[in-house]
Amino acid sequence: MAQIGENVVLKILRYDPDLDKEPHYETYEVPVAKGLTVLECLYYILENYDGSLAFRSSCRAAVCGSCGMKINGKFGLACRTLVENLKGTHITVEPLANLPLVKDLVVDLADFYKKYTVVEPYLIPKEIPEGKEFYQSPDDRKNLDGLVECILCGACYAACTMTAWDKKFPGPFAMLAADGKLRDTRDSLGDERLVDLTDEHGIWRCHDEFNCMEACPKHLSPTGAIHHLKRESVKYRFTSPKRKELVDEKPKQLPAVIPEALTARRSFMKSVFWGGAGIVGAGLLFLFSPLFSRQIRGWESGWITVGKAPDVQAGKPFEITYEQRKWERGKLVSYPKRAYLVKDESGKLSAISPTCTHLGCICYWDESIRMFLCPCHGGAFDKAGNVTLGPPPAPLARLEVKIEAGTLYLRGEVA
Amino acid sequence: MEVHAHEVIVVGGGLAGTRALDELALRGVDVGWISKIYPIRSHSGEAQGGINAALGNHPQGHDDSPDRHAYDTAKGGDFLGDQDAIQIMTYQAPKTVREMEHWGVPFSRFPDGSIAQRPFGGAGFPRTCYGADRTGHFLLHACYQKYLTMRDRVHLYDEFYAIGLIIEDKVCHGLIAFNLRNGDLEAFISHAVIFATGGSGRIYGRTTNSYSSTALGVSMPYWAGVPIKDMEFVQFHPTALIGKHILMTEGARGEGAYLLNNDGERFMKRYAPNSMEIAPRDIVARAIETEIREGRGINHEKYVYLDVRHLGKQKIDERLPGIKSICQDFLGIDPVYEPIPIRPAQHYTMGGIDCDATTKTEVEGFYACGECSCVSVHGANRLGGNSLLETLVFGEIAGRNAALAVQGKGKPKDHSLVREALKKKEKELQELYNRGGSENPYKIRDELHDIMDHKVQIFRNKEDLEEALKGIRELEKRFHNIRSISKSRVYNYDKTWTLEIKANLDLAEIITLGALVREESRGGHARTDFPKRDDEKWLKHTIARYTEEGPELSYKPVTITKWQPEERKY
């Protein structure tokens, strides 16, 4: 960290289309003052060293979204990045990625703005009440929190690997805006908004890398919004009046080859959701094939005590949670897990693991359409765990169940 | 040399400009929309607290009315506002706010589902409609989204700096703009030009305004012969975060925040015993500044505390999330647990391009609305929540009047006047950018900030103002000797900033001169040597006109309809 009174060294990507064939880096020294921001450093350079340095800025209060750029490898706002919060005395400043470079730190945002309009981010209101506002309950308004604060700074767009890979993917910010309007009770389009988002360049492209969340200077969650859109669009397939054609239509598959880089990235999935989906996936590998898992040192096997046996109605899956224990660095660690108890017509009790057989996301039971839905890629399963829609290659796994003296036990056995 | 022709040209991507578009597009007018930054980056988006309208949704606001709103506005402005215009604004307010709601603004809600309202400074009833503390952001984005639906009629020229108006014999024919993308000057011809370029806060160093809120939008018409009005009335926002001077919304005090001095005393009781913290901004700003001057700043430093801790985490997260994150980002403090250090900073330009409630100016085909204009509805001091309202109401009026004026005329034809103006401007800029002197223009700007922050601030006196005027004229002279500006062609911000500094200098002179001549205290203009309001001599608007020798001042009467000037007590 650069101390007050010392100089901080900025290494800035420079490129002038009239002079340079290739972008290059130049370094500048800026004296550190209390509360100095990277944006102020850029102004210092423009005013004292080189007037040709190009960068956008306006509000300097993290509200206008002009100064999105890459600082020490992370996308964010230059005005919001305090020099004193950065490690070391060297700062690397580069323009936003995934957008054509125009000059220095200025990128061409035309595509970015165009993609915003693609999702029709404006309200298409229901019948406007004469001389009154729409009435919207505080709870309905609360649903919009986290969806309407986006400042369109482009940090998520630059951080998203999918925007890099698929030029037609609208990007996290656009999805966030789309979800904001979908959830707005005043909007008349409703589920129709989903139709255009579910093509092969739409929401299913998102692979939950959470890069957008990490980059967002307003702490918003485009990933969360995309998850909501995914859930709603799967539901829509079952509830829409056009249901038959939608379901009969062969579900659009992802391309057969997923780039190596993307599959590799999955293993780095951040443990923001559900305490780490990767660990859950690994845990279920154990549940799938106990014979195999028993050979792995440290895995606990055998019956797991869940607790008091609940009263399960026939035909209505009942959610239970239990603790999966595991040896880790010589310690026994517990992980919370979920399963669904299912009673068939004959009264036989079994348990279904909600881990999607496609890529290991956790499905949930949606009572409105009576199906298990996967939030990631639109997989759907009926109450017995058989695939009804989407990419999952196999039915949901089954667990062995026993009840002894009113206590429920589970064991990982594939049915 | 490129010449663009449109029926109407709107300059400015903030709320006023964006609102005007709808009126124009609705009537099938072909619009060219020029903005120096992409529209959603505009300073309107920084407004936090809310927008005033006598909706009567608040349980304590059932007796509210547009007339009460107008009275509060006139009194808040120390009776310098034109009351006919104020009434137009307040009567339009409920319609305007509801219209914004229909456009999709996510206003916060009362339990019954209606738009939530909160108390604000100088208002007799809680009438400030809000969306958390991001009202400006929500409004701006909703208006921008509305623009997206009318792109077939509105051609956006973003990152074009309007730099000179083409006015001949009091008729506006268009303007010259600097294209940042390639450094070219391009001409825009039209039957009407609407200016919605925002405030001039960056004349000051300690300001809540964004980098883009500069004087160019007012200086440009001033240079072209359009009179400007009441520039000496500058609003200082009482609560700006120390260090970065970022706005801490008046909504915080509306929700019940305290102002505390070093003794932990709620000192507002000595200045406005009835309204306490939600007195009008000029009064609160003077109170804070007095506390600081008299040594009661926190640790005897130049700030006091804005304390929201007693509101509790839940209320802060729900109603003031924006200022909470600003405090965390820029000072590393959490207002839930720590008081916020604040000091008044320049916030709003009450003065501006002289126009009336029709938004028309002295020049035919030239309209002004929003903060760059002076209608005048705010008089000598603006009430919180009235600026967003003004932008929308008068943006709409400007759009409508311009549309009606140009209807059926078709696109203007290219003519020699424009080419001549373009050549002249090109020569002028050539000269400005190649002076080859020794002065750093940014140094001159810093010195201007210093003068304005210390001598033309909340409390003014003859001596300071005279010194300031001398200092500014000195800087103007030194500006003739600035170094050569970067020759870079693409995105050359050095060129635009140099121009902005020139504009800031000229407007600073008008502010200072107006303040020096006005020997009274009224609203935002407080003279320690003339502490009383003097209605007999000074109940009039200051008008400044450009001459070669410097600004020429004259005066214009104030319109009074219903409310005779009275003493302001809160």
Side-chain angles (χ1 to χ4, degrees), chain B residues 119-170:
Chain B
F120 240 51
F125 295 97
R127 68 166 75 93
T128 305
C129 311
Y130 64 93
D133 59 355
R134 297 194 169 96
T135 318
H137 169 86
F138 291 153
L139 287 167
L140 184 63
H141 277 245
C143 285
Y144 168 73
Q145 287 159 4
K146 185 81 176 172
Y147 146 75
L148 294 177
T149 65
M150 47 201 183
R151 277 170 299 154
D152 53 335
R153 274 152 294 170
V154 181
H155 190 113
L156 171 64
Y157 300 88
D158 64 308
E159 300 190 321
F160 274 71
Y161 268 68
I163 55 169
L165 279 165
I166 307 168
I167 293 176
E168 272 285 309
D169 298 328
K170 303 233 161 186

Side-chain angles (χ1 to χ4, degrees), chain B residues 108 168 273 397 399 440 546 550 559:
Chain B
S108 295
E168 272 285 309
I397 291 174
N440 179 345
Y546 177 80
T559 312

Side-chain angles (χ1 to χ4, degrees), chain A residues 5 40 70 91 141 205 221 235 284 299 366 381 383:
Chain A
E40 287 164 344
K70 191 177 184 181
I91 303 171
R141 169 61 184 80
R205 272 282 177 260
S221 168
K235 269 205 231 174
L284 271 137
W299 286 100
D366 191 313
F381 306 84
K383 66 175 192 290

Side-chain angles (χ1 to χ4, degrees), chain B residues 85-116:
Chain B
I86 294 174
Q87 277 175 297
I88 288 174
M89 180 176 82
T90 59
Y91 274 83
Q92 279 289 319
K95 180 194 143 274
T96 300
V97 169
R98 290 189 176 118
E99 185 176 64
M100 283 300 116
E101 200 270 343
H102 300 153
W103 284 18
V105 174
F107 281 110
S108 295
R109 301 287 170 162
F110 278 138
D112 67 354
S114 60
I115 295 173

Side-chain angles (χ1 to χ4, degrees), chain A residues 279-297:
Chain A
I279 294 159
V280 176
L284 271 137
L285 183 69
F286 152 69
L287 289 170
F288 277 168
S289 51
L291 282 173
F292 172 64
S293 66
R294 273 188 203 110
Q295 291 165 14
I296 302 169
R297 245 186 73 217

Side-chain angles (χ1 to χ4, degrees), chain A residues 18 35 40 43 47 51 56 58 60 64 79-80 103 113 116 132-134 136 141 150-152 186, chain B residues 41 57 98 101-102 105-106 109 113 115 145 159 207 210-212 244 329-330 445 488-490:
Chain A
D18 291 340
E40 287 164 344
Y43 268 112
E47 292 168 9
R56 293 191 177 100
S58 180
R60 64 81 179 84
C64 79
C79 71
R80 193 179 156 266
K103 187 191 172 191
Y113 295 129
Y116 185 59
K132 276 195 300 222
E133 63 261 40
F134 283 108
Q136 185 176 48
R141 169 61 184 80
C150 171
I151 57 172
L152 305 190
R186 299 169 292 175
Chain B
R41 315 296 179 203
N57 288 350
R98 290 189 176 118
E101 200 270 343
H102 300 153
V105 174
R109 301 287 170 162
I115 295 173
Q145 287 159 4
E159 300 190 321
T207 175
S210 47
Y211 280 109
S212 46
K244 299 276 175 256
D329 289 350
F330 293 94
R445 178 205 60 191
S488 175
R489 185 182 62 93
V490 182

Side-chain angles (χ1 to χ4, degrees), chain B residues 289-333:
Chain B
E289 210 57 23
T290 307
E291 291 298 302
I292 291 171
R293 283 182 176 207
E294 292 175 0
R296 289 189 294 276
I298 306 298
N299 299 328
H300 311 291
E301 301 274 345
K302 288 181 172 168
Y303 62 91
V304 296
Y305 279 145
L306 175 71
D307 191 354
V308 294
R309 289 175 295 181
H310 57 285
L311 301 180
K313 186 172 185 302
Q314 197 194 345
K315 199 166 179 180
I316 293 172
D317 284 346
E318 190 185 303
R319 310 231 179 130
L320 307 165
I323 65 161
K324 179 178 165 181
S325 70
I326 288 171
C327 287
Q328 287 170 329
D329 289 350
F330 293 94
L331 270 194
I333 61 165

